[in-house]
Amino acid sequence: MYRRILRKAAVALTLLFLLVLWVIVRTRHAHHAATAKADTLVVAQSSDMESMEPDNLNSASSVNIANLLWGRLLTITAEGQVVPSMASSYTWNDAGNEITFHLRNDLHCGDGSRFTAQDVVYTLNRAADHSNGFYGNLPAFVYSAIGFEKAWANNDSDATVRVRAYSSQVPGMLSQAYMLCRKDYEHLAPAAAASHAYATGPYRMVEWARDDRIVLERNPQYTLVKAPFARVVFRIIPEASTRVAELLAGNLDVISNVPPDQVAAINTSGSAKVQAVNGTRRIFVGFNLSPKFSQTEGGAAIQKKAVRQALEYAVDVPTLCAQLLQHPCERMASPVQKEHTSVAAYPYDPDKAEHLLDAAGYPRKTDGVRFHLTLQGPRSRYLEDVNVAQAVAQYLGDVGVATTVEAMDFNSVFAPRARQHEVGELFLSGNGGALWSPLFDLSLFPTKLANTNTGEWDSKAWREDLHALEGVRDPAQETAIINHMQQVFRDEAPGSFCISNRTSMRMARALSFMRDAMSCST
């Protein structure tokens, strides 16, 4: 049955396996204003910035732009190395609960004044202030992962951060903090901060026309590296076919999420070339285990571990990728990237899925249905995301779990509801990963009610392992705990059908800066 669906939906699901395809124009069309100047780069992506408030950003579409607007103490290379940026180095105290960042002396705010440790401290403590109500990556994910307590300045050049206990992931996690100048934000009303960015990074904001475009220009006060383009324009184009058409018309330099059936046309156009970019994004279907969904028929069923495991066996990920994406991909057994994985992924075994569902007390009824589920997900956030959800729903239906798909606008509906853990019973989502430490990936589930734990999964064994990691400095001991956490995740199955794929990256020289600055995921 499902192979008929595959033929009908061929070339869907490109983002399902994290192959992010960026199209790089090799020759510019001088007749078009958008690309007439060699010092302007025009990029199209599917979603707009969520906000210009750096502590309310979560999506990769926002991060792509934020990485150009605000500087960071440390950065992560494409190879997964944590390297100095605004901080030249850092040191730990003997107890391992305080890390001090030593700033460069050539950092500046927008008005040319010196950027100091006081600005670092303001940035970090501002994000931690609960009265601000921030819900972005730094306050809602990073701080819970590292146990952030407070920051203070020792002098103009040294800022110290206190955390709950030593963790090897602290430097990498804090590389996600966007540095702000205190004088720019201290007296800024929340609405003003949400609509205008005061830059400390290589570019500054010129214009933001919501859901249409964001225009950036080179920041003359940023001296760490010269931005290669005088201007960068991000155009918001939700439809993949429109992005391709605009590219081939010469109106764009870079687009994201290229449909597989358009690759040949682009590569033979003479003006553009598709190149694969390494990504670490995971696309997955999660189970919402919160009380608000436990009273529904399907919500009660997925509370049982055996049912979640059964649904893991029900989806044929390799076939999805081979027949729909025309490219192989790998199923993940846990959130951890393949370089660090220690457990095997679930194989496709519909017979075992049926057996587990029978044994769990959910036999097929006279109509062939065991129970019903709703799968909610975004529309036009990931390429063919609605088709992704429908494909998964069909697989579940094949083992007797009737699944209805509900698609929502990402920024206005799905993302806010996901933050409040109000998507379900199943939800299609994606989150970024990291090569620099498997702890980053495992930190998505620090507590039951954490923002990033959309499905409110709670495991005693998981919590015990998180606690055991605190203060561990021995890499072998850390690895042993991480491996056990991966096994716990696989057995508990709180998120299903998790898929990742990365291919080689080849970028034009002019775009190498963009490669490093952008998240390489959409």
Side-chain angles (χ1 to χ4, degrees), residues 10 29 51 110 120 184 195 210 221 228 237 269 278 294-295 325 353 380 384 423 448 505 521:
H29 298 260
S51 171
V120 175
D184 291 333
S195 61
R210 289 180 184 269
Q221 302 299 337
I237 305 177
S269 67
N278 289 342
S294 63
Q295 303 306 311
L325 303 172
S380 299
E384 299 292 350
V423 289
K448 179 180 179 179
M505 180 188 298
S521 59

Side-chain angles (χ1 to χ4, degrees), residues 92-115:
W92 284 96
N93 68 346
D94 291 339
N97 66 337
E98 293 178 5
I99 182 171
T100 298
F101 292 93
H102 310 290
L103 298 184
R104 297 168 56 110
N105 59 11
D106 57 349
L107 306 175
H108 300 94
C109 296
D111 63 358
S113 61
R114 183 183 174 190
F115 179 93

Side-chain angles (χ1 to χ4, degrees), residues 160-310:
T160 297
V161 175
R162 178 175 294 163
V163 295
R164 184 171 54 246
Y166 174 85
S167 173
S168 63
Q169 69 173 326
V170 169
M173 281 291 189
L174 287 175
S175 73
Q176 299 177 75
Y178 295 120
M179 294 293 108
L180 312 177
C181 288
R182 180 172 183 169
K183 63 178 63 178
D184 291 333
Y185 282 87
E186 188 172 27
H187 302 296
L188 200 63
S195 61
H196 187 83
Y198 292 87
T200 56
Y203 287 90
R204 61 189 181 187
M205 192 179 88
V206 175
E207 178 189 15
W208 183 19
R210 289 180 184 269
D211 298 319
D212 183 68
R213 67 190 179 277
I214 295 175
V215 180
L216 311 179
E217 66 180 8
R218 190 182 287 137
N219 182 2
Q221 302 299 337
Y222 187 81
T223 58
L224 300 189
V225 62
K226 182 180 179 180
F229 301 98
R231 291 168 71 88
V232 177
V233 179
F234 284 87
R235 290 184 56 192
I236 313 306
I237 305 177
E239 295 300 324
S241 59
T242 305
R243 291 196 296 272
V244 172
E246 287 279 282
L247 174 81
L248 295 180
N251 301 336
L252 302 171
D253 295 310
V254 182
I255 70 173
S256 64
N257 306 342
V258 180
D261 64 342
Q262 296 294 309
V263 172
I266 294 170
N267 284 339
T268 59
S269 67
S271 62
K273 182 177 178 60
V274 175
Q275 295 183 331
V277 173
N278 289 342
T280 55
R281 177 164 295 279
R282 298 163 293 248
I283 303 298
F284 66 97
V285 171
F287 300 98
N288 195 319
L289 306 177
S290 66
K292 60 178 66 73
F293 288 101
S294 63
Q295 303 306 311
T296 67
E297 178 189 31
I302 62 174
Q303 298 292 324
K304 296 183 178 182
K305 180 172 66 175
V307 170
R308 300 195 300 272
Q309 291 174 339

Side-chain angles (χ1 to χ4, degrees), residues 128-139:
D129 186 345
H130 294 295
S131 67
N132 289 323
F134 295 138
Y135 51 78
N137 185 60
L138 180 63

